[in-house]
Amino acid sequence: MRTDQTVRTFVDFYVERGHREIVGSTLIPPPGDPVLFTTSGMHPLTPYLTGRPHPLGRRLVDVQRCLRTTDLDEVGDRTHLTTFEMLGTWSLGDYDGPQSLRWGHELLTGPFGLDPGRLHATVHPSDELAPGVWRGLGVPVEITAENWWSNGPTGPCGPDSEIFYWTGDGPPTGAPTADDRWVEIWNHVTMRYDRGPDGALTPLGRPAVDTGLGLERLVTILQRAGSVYGTDGFASWFTHVPPLWPLGETDTRVVCDHLRSAIVVIGDGVRPANTGRGYVLRRLLRRVLTLLWRDDPGRTLGALPVEPVTHTIAHFGLPVTPPEVRTVLHDEERRFRDLLDRGRRVLSRRLRRGGPLREEDYRDLHDTHGLPRDLVESLLNS
């Protein structure tokens, strides 16, 4: 099942059950939101989870693109991406958590055809209903205090029930918290409380159900791809990038992920900068260039074929053209080369004074010359 078929199957399943399809937002949160990027499918719907009526009703379904920088060091493994998509459903004071779990199981084992014997659920101790639902469906359950969901230090939160799928060879063994061959694919949250600035939990007058199903992880399973990078969503990237820039498997994955994410961020209107969202974009591109130049300083983003750029723009529906993306990539590459050249000169003068760099040296190199610590350490090791 291709990625677009997976999305349509998911949305149609819930539309048939009374949900209204809403259009997912960009990566940019609304004005006044303290986070830099949308990090979860529920983020744009926070006001409605806390009681505001949604104009389309109380049952909703959508596809939302998200970006997380907290997992950057894990990007390149089988399951982690910087930019990803969440298939989401919401019950705003309508049906309860058990109904959400039953529908989720029906979709996974019915239209998506997953083996019910490879499913496992984890549940928060405070959720008295979910364990019985899962056992009634024949799904093993693990109780863990980690199953509590919130999208930040304040706001709606509550116990969640996470669905895992066994990706190992042979029959499933163990439990999700002890074996990473269990891959989390779907999270069902019962939003019961609103956490205040002081940490106090206030019961919501209208509890809600929020679910998020990782699209790329689900497609990995449906396509038996082995990793999110082996799915049709990355086919164009892995057709063109490895022959162009021979790298190790993990580094190739990081380069493809970061460039794909950078295109989405650029398409959502962000440009490289030294602060905020622009710094995240800058950091992604400079991580790519650092990997590319480690073995060959002559490599350039200008050599990137247009096909993966075009595919990414089309898939995410971005209001940007490949030439516009290429201009941003070229300009940032030029700035980084200039910074590296200047950094080498500054660092050479500093090292001639003798002795290792001290903390005040790192601070001065950053504040006076714009050289972040990781870049300085990279230059020292080059």
Side-chain angles (χ1 to χ4, degrees), residues 112-371:
F112 285 139
L114 297 189
D115 181 354
R118 287 176 171 255
L119 295 176
H120 202 304
T122 59
V123 175
H124 191 267
S126 69
D127 193 333
E128 299 175 352
L129 300 177
V133 173
W134 285 126
R135 292 186 182 111
L137 293 169
V139 178
V141 179
E142 181 182 14
I143 309 298
T144 169
E146 296 179 1
N147 278 50
W148 185 271
W149 172 260
S150 62
N151 199 43
T154 62
C157 57
D160 67 351
S161 188
E162 298 176 358
I163 305 175
F164 292 77
Y165 193 77
W166 177 253
T167 61
D169 296 328
T173 61
T177 57
D179 194 324
D180 62 7
R181 287 175 294 180
W182 288 104
V183 174
E184 179 191 347
I185 55 175
W186 204 349
N187 193 7
H188 291 241
V189 185
T190 302
M191 295 292 185
R192 296 179 180 173
Y193 305 98
D194 188 16
R195 188 190 302 275
D198 60 352
L201 297 177
T202 302
L204 289 170
R206 187 196 66 182
V209 179
D210 155 54
T211 85
L213 172 58
L215 174 60
E216 291 86 357
R217 292 187 181 186
L218 174 62
V219 172
T220 300
I221 293 169
L222 296 178
Q223 296 181 2
R224 297 178 176 85
S227 83
V228 290
Y229 302 97
T231 64
D232 64 328
F234 276 90
S236 182
W237 286 97
F238 279 84
T239 296
H240 294 93
V241 169
L244 176 65
W245 300 318
L247 300 163
E249 181 180 23
T250 298
D251 289 346
T252 298
R253 290 176 173 181
V254 171
V255 166
C256 291
D257 167 90
H258 284 13
L259 285 176
R260 174 178 177 266
S261 297
I263 293 168
V264 180
V265 173
I266 292 168
D268 279 345
V270 178
R271 295 296 179 267
N274 290 327
T275 59
R277 298 184 184 99
Y279 180 71
V280 173
L281 174 57
R282 174 161 285 168
R283 185 182 178 194
L284 291 174
L285 292 176
R286 291 184 175 182
R287 282 169 65 100
V288 169
L289 290 167
T290 299
L291 286 174
L292 295 183
W293 292 344
R294 183 182 57 201
D295 299 327
D296 183 356
R299 289 170 173 164
T300 174
L301 296 180
L304 180 66
V306 71
E307 286 84 358
V309 179
T310 302
H311 178 273
T312 302
I313 290 173
H315 175 75
F316 287 95
L318 304 173
V320 68
T321 65
E324 290 172 323
V325 170
R326 286 178 174 277
T327 296
V328 176
L329 298 182
H330 177 267
D331 289 347
E332 186 57 24
E333 178 179 324
R334 177 180 51 79
R335 291 190 185 94
F336 192 41
R337 283 192 186 276
D338 292 344
L339 178 63
L340 287 177
D341 291 341
R342 186 171 74 252
R344 291 189 180 94
R345 294 193 297 270
V346 171
L347 194 56
S348 177
R349 291 195 299 268
R350 187 65 57 96
L351 292 175
R352 281 200 295 268
R353 300 176 185 175
L357 295 181
R358 299 165 297 179
E359 284 301 318
E360 52 265 37
D361 292 315
Y362 282 107
R363 285 195 296 271
D364 180 63
L365 288 168
H366 179 273
D367 297 341
T368 303
H369 302 284
L371 300 173

Side-chain angles (χ1 to χ4, degrees), residues 33 35 38-44 46 68 149-157 191:
D33 197 309
V35 302
T38 295
T39 58
S40 67
M42 60 83 70
H43 195 119
T46 300
R68 293 180 188 169
W149 172 260
S150 62
N151 199 43
T154 62
C157 57
M191 295 292 185

